[in-house]
Amino acid sequence: MRDLAPALLSWERFAVASVVAVRGSAPRPVGAAMAVGPSGQVIGSVSGGCVEAEVYDLACEVLSSSVPALASFGYSDDTAFAVGLTCGGSLDVLVQRDSPGLRAALQASVDGYPVSVRFSCEDRVFTKSWMPAPRLLVFGAIDHAAAVAEIGKFLGYHVTVCDARPVFATPERFPAADEVVVDWPHRYLASTHTDSSTAVVVLTHDPKFDIPVLSCALSMPLAFVGALGSRRTHAERLSRLRSAGVPPSALARLRSPIGLDLGGRSPAETAVSIAAELVALRHGGTGLPLSDLSSPIHRDQESHGTDLSQRRRHAGRTAALATAGHADGVPSPQCPEVPVLLGAGQVPRDARVGLGLGRG
């Protein structure tokens, strides 16, 4: 729901539908949300189109009555246009009205605070945590950086573009970036906040920038460190990094040449390639064509290490059965909610919150 927050906060009232359980194959995961505004406008999705119309009607009813509703949708083999999931799975959707508590939680999340919302409904307790967006640090104010910033923002990253040259590092050149910083890359990286979800993408193509910032990045517990360049550039870069004292174990973390092999050449195509590698690493993907695999398309996040080749070897493994998971906490008289602002270290960024089946 957090990705819907700007629109939701601008509406005087709304009803929001959240996926609270998934069984089998379904287009959207637990936590996916769709909202209906005061004039009937709709944003978001709970099923990729399979049951949107039925959920929309239900949300309109809840918006009018303020009475929450919990509905289940499953596979329909009667007709492709019947209300059901043609992919063969089933899901539960909870529809609730807005409240001051939920608005406060959404605003706090937009402001960058970690937030948890909890409420109970009959015999079930729902919790949802929103952690701050992961950071994507892009070093090198070149055309490729503009494309990487745009797709990184689309993927939900908080994007910073940094370059030591003020003539190139301007907000006008990088409108998609949350921040544009004029500083030496290694100095900025050493001084800014990073964590285990931070991704670093180096696009500078200049040893006086590349080597210091990569030496710094490879010494930090980051999620991703990649650098643009040819294979020859990569070989020269490795030699310089070794001379700078970077140990082999750290060099093994460098993803260079950055990106998956998509065959693209333009800045936009290169950005898609880089984003594909980020997504594969972030969610445990193999990077292989789905048509070549027999494993489930939708699966719980599962990592077999940071090496995509390791994941490809595991591609045929049977995924764990999907289970009921976390839900967006939307309060109502029947579903009292407790929004909580979490301290920076209280909940890990990759923490998974669950659906309690005990009495609330």
Side-chain angles (χ1 to χ4, degrees):
M1 191 199 305
R2 180 173 61 178
D3 58 329
L4 309 181
L8 297 181
L9 291 171
S10 70
W11 289 346
E12 62 183 34
R13 60 192 182 95
F14 59 84
V16 62
S18 303
V19 177
V20 296
V22 170
R23 293 169 293 277
S25 178
R28 299 298 309 278
V30 168
M34 184 180 87
V36 175
S39 301
Q41 61 270 54
V42 61
I43 56 174
S45 173
V46 292
S47 72
C50 301
V51 299
E52 310 298 318
E54 186 76 4
V55 173
Y56 175 81
D57 291 340
L58 189 58
C60 289
E61 293 177 11
V62 171
L63 187 62
S64 176
S65 68
S66 297
V67 178
L70 182 63
S72 297
F73 301 92
Y75 177 69
S76 172
D77 55 7
D78 296 330
T79 170
F81 298 101
V83 176
L85 297 174
T86 57
C87 54
S90 64
L91 55 83
D92 296 341
V93 177
L94 180 67
V95 187
Q96 297 278 302
R97 272 292 308 270
D98 61 309
S99 78
L102 176 61
R103 289 181 178 275
L106 288 170
Q107 186 61 62
S109 179
V110 168
D111 293 340
Y113 294 99
V115 178
S116 180
V117 181
R118 183 182 73 249
F119 61 89
S120 60
C121 185
E122 299 178 353
D123 291 341
R124 305 168 91 176
V125 176
F126 301 89
T127 62
K128 175 63 179 178
S129 294
W130 296 311
M131 304 306 293
R135 297 194 69 187
L136 174 60
L137 307 180
V138 183
F139 294 106
I142 64 175
D143 288 347
H144 289 78
V148 171
E150 186 170 357
I151 199 167
K153 190 66 177 177
F154 179 76
L155 292 176
Y157 285 93
H158 181 92
V159 180
T160 300
V161 175
C162 175
D163 196 297
R165 302 165 297 178
V167 68
F168 295 112
T170 65
E172 293 75 18
R173 296 190 69 224
F174 305 99
D178 295 286
E179 302 171 291
V180 179
V181 176
V182 178
D183 199 351
W184 281 82
H186 70 284
R187 185 166 61 191
Y188 176 74
L189 179 59
S191 63
T192 193
H193 170 75
T194 60
D195 57 29
S196 60
S197 70
T198 301
V200 167
V201 174
V202 177
L203 308 174
T204 46
H205 279 305
D206 188 333
K208 71 174 179 288
F209 296 121
D210 290 2
I211 304 307
V213 72
L214 286 173
S215 297
C216 181
L218 292 171
S219 70
M220 304 169 74
L222 306 177
F224 182 98
V225 180
L228 187 68
S230 66
R231 298 191 187 281
R232 177 178 177 179
T233 298
H234 174 60
E236 294 175 351
R237 185 183 286 138
L238 287 179
S239 177
R240 292 175 184 270
L241 288 169
R242 291 189 191 97
S243 299
V246 179
S249 59
L251 291 177
R253 297 176 49 223
L254 177 59
R255 312 189 75 84
S256 177
I258 194 173
L260 298 187
D261 180 18
L262 304 182
R265 299 181 64 90
S266 70
E269 291 170 335
T270 302
V272 170
S273 171
I274 293 171
E277 187 172 18
L278 279 170
V279 170
L281 185 64
R282 187 177 179 184
H283 296 291
T286 65
L288 294 172
L290 290 173
S291 59
D292 290 348
L293 300 176
S294 59
S295 55
I297 295 174
H298 303 291
R299 61 189 185 278
D300 289 339
Q301 182 171 335
E302 182 179 6
S303 175
H304 303 295
T306 59
D307 186 352
L308 292 184
S309 63
Q310 287 182 290
R311 294 185 186 147
R312 288 166 181 157
R313 290 195 292 272
H314 286 268
R317 289 181 55 190
T318 302
L321 293 176
T323 58
H326 58 273
D328 294 313
V330 188
S332 72
Q334 291 83 1
C335 298
E337 51 81 33
V338 184
V340 179
L341 290 180
L342 301 174
Q346 287 182 264
V347 178
R349 185 182 294 270
D350 59 352
R352 305 187 68 158
V353 292
L355 168 62
L357 298 179
R359 186 172 298 277

